[in-house]
């Protein structure tokens, strides 16, 4: 055989071996990996994470929350339990890698517009005086029904009504109105008190400013002391009558509530739930009236009853009060919301 042919055949075989070895080493070449994630992600929503590397054999997903999973497919789902920023990484066949940042947010609650009527209450409210109440709702209202002091009959149907309360204390006012074709209801409370003594005395003095004219035209008033009933008139042993000492009539003191913010009130109520405080510790804010109404969980309690209920509720995170105060800063009504801890597997109410 010709020597040149042998050399040629040997060269061709060598080149073929090199080409086969090169092809074997690059049968899984490195390619750029791009991971895609949604733009908007919320807590507890399933999130689809995928890559554009379709020819890989093994996909390792690191979700940034301590969980790593290996799959044979290029996409996977994951759910996040906490709102924060996570760093995600995918590795294809142990070589090709991509890193992305995922922001998980809390889903905002849907805001429902409140169409209930708005009751305007006088700043000062006294017994046996006409008080005017009005509906200040800006919405289209076709009819109204006013109820005072738990009366079962309608007390008025116009936009503004007047009412006189005969006793002191917190008085209930209910207004039912048809707004945008739907019946809406609002309940409010007004604190009725006695008019202060000095004001009542001033009103009485106006009625006694006119005196009759006569021989005593100078305006001097002579007080005649009647004789004792057991002493005959004209006796020589007339007793000296000592005029009574002036009696100081103390003015009725109107109680005023101590200043406390809503947040501070919530903190004190938390101490009640922990059995560190009692209802009596709130006297200075309730003006010694522990029977004010407290609305909680669609029920109404007196403040004393609510403190007892509060001690029976376990695992409270936060108590949010919405107190109503009168002109003397006395709290006369409290709406309560309580946030509780969520148990295992999400069992338990968050807020009620």
């Amino acid at each position: 055989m010709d020597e040149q042919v042998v050399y040629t055949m040997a060269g061709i075989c060598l080149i073929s071996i090199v080409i086969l070895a090169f092809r074997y080493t690059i049968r899984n070449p490195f390619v750029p990996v791009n991971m895609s994630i949604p733009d908007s992600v919320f807590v507890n929503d399933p999130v689809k994470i995928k890559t554009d590397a379709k020819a890989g054999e093994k996909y390792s997903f690191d979700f940034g929350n301590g969980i790593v999973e290996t799959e044979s497919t290029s996409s996977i789902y994951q759910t996040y339990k906490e709102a924060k920023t996570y760093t995600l990484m995918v590795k294809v066949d142990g070589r090709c890698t991509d890193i992305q940042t995922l922001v998980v947010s809390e889903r905002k609650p849907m805001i429902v517009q409140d169409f209930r009527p708005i009751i305007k209450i006088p700043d000062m409210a006294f017994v046996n005086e006409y008080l005017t109440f009005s509906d200040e709702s800006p919405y289209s209202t076709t009819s109204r029904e006013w109820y005072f002091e738990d009366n079962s009959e309608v007390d008025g149907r116009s936009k503004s009504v007047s009412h006189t309360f005969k006793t002191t204390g917190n008085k209930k006012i209910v207004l039912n109105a048809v707004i945008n074709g739907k019946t809406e209801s609002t309940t409010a409370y007004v604190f009725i008190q006695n008019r202060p003594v000095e004001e009542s005395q001033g009103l009485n003095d106006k009625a006694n400013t006119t005196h009759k004219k006569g021989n005593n035209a100078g305006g001097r008033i002579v007080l005649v002391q009647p004789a004792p009933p057991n002493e005959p008139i004209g006796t020589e042993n007339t007793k000296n009558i000592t005029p009574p000492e002036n009696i100081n009539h103390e003015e009725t003191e109107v109680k005023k509530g101590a200043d406390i913010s809503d947040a501070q009130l919530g903190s004190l109520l938390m101490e009640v739930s922990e059995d560190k405080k009692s209802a009596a510790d709130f006297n200075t804010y309730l003006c010694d009236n522990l029977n004010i109404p407290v609305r909680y969980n669609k029920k109404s309690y007196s403040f004393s009853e609510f403190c007892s209920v509060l001690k029976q509720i376990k695992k409270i995170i936060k108590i949010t009060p919405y107190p109503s105060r009168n002109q003397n800063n006395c709290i006369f009504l409290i709406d309560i919301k309580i946030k509780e801890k969520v148990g295992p597997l999400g069992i338990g109410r968050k807020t009620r």
Side-chain angles (χ1 to χ4, degrees):
M1 182 179 291
D2 189 358
E3 186 177 352
Q4 288 293 105
V5 173
V6 173
Y7 287 141
T8 302
M9 293 295 294
I12 292 173
C13 289
L14 181 61
I15 293 172
S16 298
I17 291 171
V18 172
I19 293 174
L20 286 174
F22 179 75
R23 290 291 301 274
Y24 179 79
T25 57
I26 63 171
R27 64 189 181 90
N28 288 321
F30 175 84
V31 294
V33 175
N34 295 315
M35 181 169 45
S36 61
I37 57 179
D39 294 332
S40 178
V41 176
F42 298 102
V43 172
N44 295 324
D45 282 356
V47 182
K48 185 178 183 180
I49 303 167
K50 63 180 181 178
T51 72
D52 58 0
K54 306 295 184 181
E57 295 181 356
K58 185 172 67 175
Y59 299 84
S60 178
F61 294 92
D62 185 340
F63 301 109
N65 58 357
I67 300 175
V68 179
E69 292 187 12
T70 302
E71 297 288 341
S72 59
T73 57
S74 60
S75 64
I76 194 171
Y77 285 88
Q78 179 63 20
T79 301
Y80 291 89
K81 303 296 183 181
E82 185 179 355
K84 66 177 186 178
T85 301
Y86 298 88
T87 300
L88 282 65
M89 183 176 69
V90 62
K91 186 178 290 187
V92 181
D93 294 334
R95 298 187 298 152
C96 310
T97 303
D98 186 29
I99 298 175
Q100 297 282 349
T101 299
L102 175 66
V103 179
V104 180
S105 307
E106 287 281 0
R107 188 181 299 275
K108 295 182 179 180
M110 183 180 297
I111 299 176
V112 179
Q113 190 171 4
D114 190 353
F115 288 99
R116 291 180 299 174
I118 302 171
I119 300 176
K120 183 178 181 181
I121 297 175
D123 295 332
M124 302 291 286
F126 301 107
V127 172
N128 295 324
E129 294 187 7
Y130 277 103
L131 302 175
T132 300
F133 304 88
S134 59
D135 176 15
E136 299 297 322
S137 172
Y139 308 111
S140 175
T141 304
T142 55
S143 66
R144 297 178 180 86
E145 293 180 349
W146 294 86
Y147 300 87
F148 293 95
E149 301 183 270
D150 292 322
N151 191 4
S152 60
E153 298 182 358
V154 179
D155 292 301
R157 299 183 183 275
S158 59
K159 182 175 183 179
S160 296
V161 294
S162 295
H163 187 75
T164 300
F165 295 95
K166 304 298 183 181
T167 58
T168 61
N170 291 318
K171 304 300 180 180
K172 184 178 178 181
I173 304 164
V174 177
L175 172 58
N176 296 332
V178 178
I179 300 176
N180 297 333
K182 183 180 177 181
T183 301
E184 305 285 352
S185 180
T186 295
T187 301
Y189 291 84
V190 61
F191 182 74
I192 306 299
Q193 59 183 325
N194 289 316
R195 183 174 287 278
V197 174
E198 62 273 12
E199 295 184 21
S200 300
Q201 187 63 40
L203 294 175
N204 293 334
D205 290 344
K206 291 181 180 180
N208 297 323
T209 53
T210 304
H211 301 281
K212 295 182 180 180
K213 294 183 179 180
N215 294 330
N216 189 19
R220 181 185 177 194
I221 301 175
V222 179
L223 299 178
V224 180
Q225 178 68 33
N230 297 328
E231 190 88 19
I233 298 176
T235 180
E236 294 180 358
N237 297 324
T238 304
K239 295 181 180 180
N240 295 325
I241 301 174
T242 303
E245 296 181 357
N246 292 331
I247 301 175
N248 292 327
H249 297 280
E250 295 184 358
E251 297 181 354
T252 303
E253 182 180 357
V254 179
K255 293 181 180 180
K256 294 186 177 180
D259 290 329
I260 185 172
S261 67
D262 294 359
Q264 291 171 334
L265 182 60
S267 297
L268 289 180
L269 290 171
M270 281 291 292
E271 294 189 35
V272 172
S273 70
E274 298 166 357
D275 209 12
K276 297 178 181 178
K277 298 284 185 183
S278 65
D281 294 312
F282 294 79
N283 273 325
T284 55
Y285 313 115
L286 311 184
C287 298
D288 297 328
N289 182 9
L290 297 181
N291 292 319
I292 69 166
V294 177
R295 296 185 296 205
Y296 162 67
N297 200 19
K298 298 182 180 180
K299 293 182 180 180
S300 182
Y301 306 87
S302 70
F303 186 80
S304 299
E305 292 173 340
F306 176 73
C307 288
S308 299
V309 172
L310 195 57
K311 294 178 182 179
Q312 301 174 6
I313 303 175
K314 306 299 181 183
K315 298 182 180 180
I316 297 177
I317 297 177
K318 184 179 181 182
I319 300 175
T320 304
Y322 300 91
S324 299
R325 296 174 172 85
N326 60 24
Q327 64 273 12
N328 293 324
N329 204 36
C330 298
I331 298 176
F332 64 87
L333 171 67
I334 306 177
D335 284 298
I336 296 289
K337 286 187 178 180
I338 296 179
K339 184 177 182 181
E340 300 179 34
K341 291 182 181 178
V342 178
L345 302 178
I347 299 174
R349 289 176 290 180
K350 287 187 175 181
T351 304
R352 60 176 183 175

